[in-house]
Amino acid sequence: MTSTLLDLNSPHLGFGSSTRSTSKLTPFKRSNHCPICDSNDGRCSKGDEIILCLTETYDVGIINGYKLRKLSKDNNWGVWAPHSVDDNYNSVNWQTRKAIRDQQADEERRQRIAKELPIDQRDHLYRKLLSDLSLCSMDQGDLDRRGMSQSEIKGFNAVSVGQFQRVQNLSSDLPGVLPGGILNSQGGYLWPLYDVHGQIVALQLRKRNVHQDNRYIWLSSSTRRHPDGNGPHVNGEIPLAVYKSFGPYSRIGLVEGTGIKPFLTSTRLNIPVIGAAGGHVGLIS
Ligand SMILES: [Zn+2]
């Protein structure tokens, strides 16, 4: 069985002034399920007398004989301890809690999807946005360096933006637009993602000056201050990028990534290509 040693006095877990300096935490895996949320993917773990549950972080009463004591210092885990006292007020089992959580998640998903701007309006507004902007020589040079010809650069349809780029007459329901007529953008360039009907469903942005690991972002209206802003999702999913060449074809390309790679594959091989973001499943805005 795998186990992890964690320093319980570390600010990470925040067990305060425990006399024990370390305690063994065993992640719940395989047939060993978290008694609070039933997960077994290693996200929750068991200590000597406590359960660290990543799913349940609110005091919702007694679950399977455990009660929430506190949160870990980073607020990520609920720290649950056995509840031995007789008063089993509000006692529920994990099945009931899971059903409630699933129901809440379903409802939140339904509401998010209901708020999405319809595709034909996104297409219309994104085309307007792209036509109002142009590609600066610095970004043009970047695409040059990546081996794109002038006609390929033109076909890719990228435009340069500044940080919090001002835009006009765009609905703040359009993913990427913030109240007050600005884009939730950083300095870099944007390009359109098309669906299978050739309609623009989302924009992606390549930042100019950042660390490599988060150079690409989806244009989204969801921010810390506006957490309810629309993300790039289509029917609750991160969109695919469909690049279609004309003419009869007998093959379709599948490429990881939603930008230059699938675009050039389609253009140069003259086949339709579907690009999907890496880590496609489970991305939440
Ligand atoms: Zn759990």
Side-chain angles (χ1 to χ4, degrees):
M1 178 166 296
T2 52
S3 65
T4 317
L5 273 177
L6 286 176
D7 179 356
L8 290 187
N9 284 326
S10 76
H12 174 64
L13 282 169
F15 282 88
S17 56
S18 165
T19 50
R20 293 166 300 171
S21 60
T22 59
S23 169
K24 214 168 192 181
L25 290 177
T26 309
F28 290 105
K29 284 188 174 169
R30 289 180 286 278
S31 63
N32 198 9
H33 291 236
C34 172
I36 314 298
C37 72
D38 197 44
S39 72
N40 64 339
D41 54 10
R43 77 177 95 155
C44 308
S45 24
K46 181 175 173 40
D48 283 344
E49 286 150 16
I50 48 127
I51 304 290
L52 289 183
C53 181
L54 194 57
T55 315
E56 291 286 5
T57 54
Y58 289 94
D59 183 1
V60 290
I62 317 300
I63 301 183
N64 259 353
Y66 289 87
K67 184 164 167 50
L68 182 82
R69 293 300 168 194
K70 57 181 176 180
L71 290 180
S72 61
K73 223 168 224 174
D74 60 8
N75 291 332
N76 282 340
W77 278 274
V79 180
W80 293 73
H83 183 72
S84 49
V85 188
D86 286 338
D87 72 279
N88 272 336
Y89 83 98
N90 201 14
S91 181
V92 290
N93 56 24
W94 66 259
Q95 288 94 336
T96 312
R97 278 295 300 160
K98 184 165 187 305
I100 294 171
R101 279 203 314 273
D102 289 350
Q103 204 179 0
Q104 284 169 344
D106 281 352
E107 182 53 32
E108 283 167 16
R109 184 181 157 83
R110 247 196 309 278
Q111 288 177 5
R112 275 202 308 274
I113 292 175
K115 275 175 49 234
E116 287 179 3
L117 194 65
I119 298 299
D120 55 343
Q121 292 181 47
R122 281 195 223 192
D123 177 66
H124 174 71
L125 293 174
Y126 278 143
R127 281 176 199 278
K128 177 184 172 335
L129 170 64
L130 292 171
S131 69
D132 286 347
L133 299 167
S134 60
L135 193 65
C136 74
S137 57
M138 196 194 323
D139 293 329
Q140 172 99 22
D142 178 75
L143 298 176
D144 266 341
R145 272 192 299 282
R146 295 160 138 241
M148 293 173 77
S149 71
Q150 286 311 302
S151 73
E152 284 169 345
I153 291 175
K154 198 162 184 295
F156 190 52
N157 205 8
V159 298
S160 301
V161 284
Q163 185 167 30
F164 298 123
Q165 174 79 44
R166 290 225 150 264
V167 290
Q168 285 184 330
N169 303 324
L170 293 179
S171 161
S172 58
D173 288 336
L174 185 69
V177 178
L178 298 176
I182 53 173
L183 277 188
N184 185 17
S185 59
Q186 304 191 31
Y189 58 82
L190 299 169
W191 70 91
L193 272 72
Y194 304 89
D195 68 5
V196 71
H197 306 293
Q199 291 185 298
I200 298 176
V201 291
L203 299 182
Q204 271 195 306
L205 189 155
R206 183 180 191 274
K207 302 184 215 171
R208 271 183 218 117
N209 302 311
V210 280
H211 306 298
Q212 207 62 36
D213 54 351
N214 57 351
R215 190 174 272 285
Y216 297 96
I217 58 172
W218 295 86
L219 213 59
S220 164
S221 304
S222 176
T223 64
R224 213 175 275 246
R225 262 178 82 182
H226 307 282
D228 292 333
N230 278 332
H233 306 78
V234 177
N235 286 324
E237 305 285 342
I238 287 290
L240 300 167
V242 180
Y243 294 100
K244 284 202 292 188
S245 306
F246 294 101
Y249 49 81
S250 55
R251 294 180 301 163
I252 291 181
L254 298 174
V255 169
E256 188 182 12
T258 48
I260 290 175
K261 212 170 9 162
F263 168 72
L264 286 184
T265 308
S266 171
T267 311
R268 293 181 180 174
L269 300 182
N270 208 33
I271 58 168
V273 168
I274 299 172
H280 187 69
V281 178
L283 198 157
I284 298 165
S285 68

